[in-house]
């Protein structure tokens, strides 16, 4: 007999509650100074990563797996891999090699289905689409077993899935399977409890709150949800916050599980456009308080890894976070926008290490003072990306009573790490 998902989760450890911190008095200091307060904790960071889908593009090569999930020089430091749950079990083995290597390198692996097996699907009329697909209502139990079977298959092949999704983009599904909010809530309420790992839903394509509100407002459905997953295609920054999740989602995780930004048409090395990715990650972590940020394809002309296997400028913008803000780090309060076009966030890890990421989208260099409350480090290490440098290490900057001033080049990203 397969153990219930709840009993399996009990052995994984408790899911973290999001902490809503009240800014301290120090955080209200003059905006010209960035105040970093390690005592004012926000969300736990689960990681950064991307998608590998071997039915649609070629698998990552062994060297590219190491570039994606290793954290040495010239590597992205990704700590999350997303893979598909293929509708045909015969295709499941295609995803094992990359998932296994990512796991060996310490990455978390999650999975999302685009379609159930064909035998579980029926067609219906959806607006002007006469051949739309949905999961048959009498197949909800069988579909839960299908998802659980995938979890067990991956485990038997050396990969322990951290979580599995109910459906990729159920509200943008002309080419895959549609779900309504009520159907998603019903499946969570009645069937998801039998799945042997954490469950992600609803993965709305645009973080459409009306799709996830019914889940948050249904106690039985919410009980079987572990991660509220969202995509950010075309989502405006003003729609990043989610007050209802903060009210109802305590004990649940909040992940951004797919995006490309700002488009899929331009080269990922176009500069300064690639710096938009740095701002987007900042907004996702600070404004939306997501715990993970997952790109679409890892290797693509518009993605973090170029087709030749090297890190792109967009990838470098992500790597300013992913290489230094490691799984389990906690975001802490920092003055987020001390000057026009400057975006700052901060995180703390073990041994009181503090990481600060600053994205200067302005056309001029910036001299920016920082104060780390209660920090006794003597210096901060630095890395920079701009038009001429990519994740380039720089000279350490001395700290005096927890304070330092950094020169941020025009149109650049910089990461600062205390010793």
């Amino acid at each position: 007999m397969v153990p219930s998902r709840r009993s399996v989760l009990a052995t994984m450890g408790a899911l973290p509650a999001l902490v809503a911190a009240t800014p301290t008095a120090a955080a209200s200091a003059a905006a010209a100074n960035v105040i970093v307060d390690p005592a004012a904790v926000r969300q736990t960071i689960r990681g950064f990563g991307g998608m590998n889908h071997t039915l649609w593009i070629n698998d990552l090569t062994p060297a590219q797996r190491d570039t994606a999930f290793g954290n040495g020089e010239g590597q992205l430091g990704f700590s999350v891999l997303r893979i598909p749950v293929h509708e045909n079990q015969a295709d499941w083995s295609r995803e094992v090699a990359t998932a296994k290597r990512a796991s060996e390198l310490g990455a978390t692996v999650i999975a999302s289905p685009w379609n159930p097996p064909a035998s579980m699907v029926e067609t219906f009329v959806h607006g002007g689409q006469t051949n739309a697909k949905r999961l048959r209502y009498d197949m909800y139990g069988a579909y839960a077993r299908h998802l659980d079977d995938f979890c067990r298959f991956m485990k038997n092949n050396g990969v322990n899935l951290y979580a599995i999704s109910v459906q990729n983009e159920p509200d943008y599904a002309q080419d895959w399977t549609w779900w309504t909010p009520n159907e998603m809530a019903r499946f969570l309420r009645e069937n998801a409890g039998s799945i042997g790992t954490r469950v992600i839903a609803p993965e709305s394509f645009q973080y459409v709150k009306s799709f996830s509100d019914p889940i948050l407002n249904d106690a039985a459905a919410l009980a079987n949800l572990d991660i509220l997953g969202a995509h950010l295609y075309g989502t405006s920054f003003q729609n990043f916050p989610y007050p209802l999740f903060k009210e109802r989602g305590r004990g649940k995780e909040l992940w951004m599980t797919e995006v490309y930004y700002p488009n899929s048409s331009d080269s990922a090395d176009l500069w300064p456009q690639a710096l938009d990715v740095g701002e987007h990650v900042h907004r996702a972590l600070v404004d939306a308080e997501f715990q993970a940020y997952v790109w679409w394809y890892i290797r693509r002309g518009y993605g973090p890894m170029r087709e030749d296997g090297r890190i792109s400028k967009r990838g470098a913008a992500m790597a300013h976070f992913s290489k230094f803000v490691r799984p389990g780090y906690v975001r802490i309060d920092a003055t987020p926008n001390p000057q026009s076009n400057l975006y700052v966030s901060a995180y703390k890890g073990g041994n009181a290490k503090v990481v600060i990421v600053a994205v200067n989208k302005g056309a001029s260099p910036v001299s920016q003072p920082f104060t780390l409350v209660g920090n006794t480090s003597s210096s901060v290490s630095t890395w920079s990306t701009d038009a001429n440098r990519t994740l380039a290490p720089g000279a350490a900057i001395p700290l005096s009573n927890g304070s330092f001033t950094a020169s941020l080049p025009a149109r650049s990203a910089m990461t600062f790490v205390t010793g």
Side-chain angles (χ1 to χ4, degrees):
M1 180 177 179
V2 178
S4 74
R5 184 172 68 92
R6 306 319 303 181
S7 64
V8 171
L9 292 183
T11 69
M12 294 180 172
L15 291 168
L18 297 183
V19 179
T22 300
T24 63
S28 61
N33 191 12
V34 169
I35 306 297
V36 178
D37 187 355
V41 296
R42 297 290 179 167
Q43 76 270 30
T44 299
I45 302 301
R46 290 299 173 208
F48 306 83
M51 180 85 190
N52 194 51
H53 196 310
T54 64
L55 281 180
W56 292 350
I57 64 170
N58 291 334
D59 196 2
L60 296 177
T61 68
Q64 290 165 357
R65 293 166 191 153
D66 287 358
T67 298
F69 300 101
N71 200 22
E73 184 177 353
Q75 297 177 324
L76 284 163
F78 280 179
S79 50
V80 178
L81 169 66
R82 182 173 179 242
I83 60 174
V85 183
H86 298 302
E87 57 196 87
N88 297 318
Q89 291 192 16
D91 292 321
W92 288 358
S93 61
R94 300 173 62 100
E95 307 303 330
V96 168
T98 291
K100 190 171 182 179
R101 182 57 178 155
S103 295
E104 290 170 353
L105 291 169
T108 294
V109 183
I110 62 172
S112 296
W114 270 249
N115 292 299
S119 62
M120 300 181 190
V121 172
E122 64 183 5
T123 59
F124 72 111
V125 176
H126 184 275
Q129 186 180 4
T130 58
N131 63 342
K133 293 190 293 187
R134 69 183 171 205
L135 178 65
R136 284 168 42 188
Y137 291 166
D138 63 343
M139 287 290 179
Y140 277 33
Y143 184 55
R145 289 191 293 275
H146 170 75
L147 298 180
D148 189 62
D149 286 345
F150 183 79
C151 297
R152 288 189 286 122
F153 172 87
M154 294 304 294
K155 183 175 183 179
N156 291 339
N157 283 276
V159 179
N160 289 314
L161 286 181
Y162 186 80
I164 195 166
S165 173
V166 176
Q167 171 66 48
N168 171 77
E169 297 183 348
D171 52 345
Y172 191 74
Q174 288 88 347
D175 296 321
W176 43 87
T177 300
W178 293 96
W179 293 63
T180 68
N182 287 336
E183 289 167 349
M184 183 71 67
R186 175 193 160 186
F187 180 83
L188 289 169
R189 184 173 59 246
E190 298 179 3
N191 304 99
S194 65
I195 299 170
T197 192
R198 297 172 181 87
V199 171
I200 304 170
E203 289 201 288
S204 164
F205 83 105
Q206 204 170 54
Y207 204 10
V208 175
K209 309 302 192 299
S210 60
F211 208 99
S212 46
D213 283 353
I215 299 170
L216 294 171
N217 288 321
D218 183 328
L222 185 59
N224 284 327
L225 174 75
D226 302 292
I227 301 172
L228 195 150
H231 299 178
L232 293 179
Y233 291 110
T235 311
S236 65
F237 293 146
Q238 68 183 24
N239 287 330
F240 275 27
Y242 196 0
L244 186 63
F245 179 81
K246 292 182 72 69
E247 176 188 343
R248 301 285 176 86
R250 183 165 296 276
K252 310 299 179 180
E253 298 193 40
L254 183 65
W255 286 40
M256 198 292 293
T257 55
E258 184 188 314
V259 79
Y260 54 73
Y261 187 86
N263 57 46
S264 62
S265 55
D266 291 337
S267 165
D269 287 317
L270 188 63
W271 194 267
Q273 188 199 72
L275 199 56
D276 290 351
V277 174
E279 181 190 358
H280 199 255
V281 177
H282 168 92
R283 299 274 194 168
L285 300 179
V286 175
D287 298 353
E289 297 189 86
F290 284 113
Q291 296 175 260
Y293 186 98
V294 184
W295 192 267
W296 180 222
Y297 292 133
I298 293 172
R299 186 197 67 229
R300 213 61 175 163
Y302 56 86
M305 183 189 297
R306 303 186 324 197
E307 291 290 355
D308 64 5
R310 291 191 290 174
I311 294 176
S312 69
K313 286 290 193 179
R314 289 185 182 182
M318 284 187 68
H320 272 279
F321 295 87
S322 60
K323 289 180 69 67
F324 307 99
V325 183
R326 304 303 294 168
Y329 278 43
V330 178
R331 187 173 72 85
I332 56 179
D333 270 3
T335 309
N337 190 208
Q339 302 187 41
S340 178
N341 293 312
L342 180 59
Y343 303 93
V344 177
S345 59
Y347 313 83
K348 68 176 180 180
N351 301 319
K353 178 178 289 187
V354 173
V355 177
I356 302 169
V357 184
V359 178
N360 178 19
K361 293 188 68 181
S364 301
V366 167
S367 179
Q368 178 60 55
F370 296 82
T371 296
L372 284 64
V373 177
N375 193 283
T376 59
S377 300
S378 60
S379 65
V380 292
S381 301
T382 67
W383 288 264
S384 303
T385 297
D386 57 19
N388 300 312
R389 296 175 292 177
T390 301
L391 293 167
I397 301 175
L399 268 74
S400 176
N401 296 319
S403 295
F404 70 97
T405 297
S407 178
L408 310 177
R411 293 170 174 157
S412 69
M414 288 192 70
T415 298
F416 307 91
V417 181
T418 63

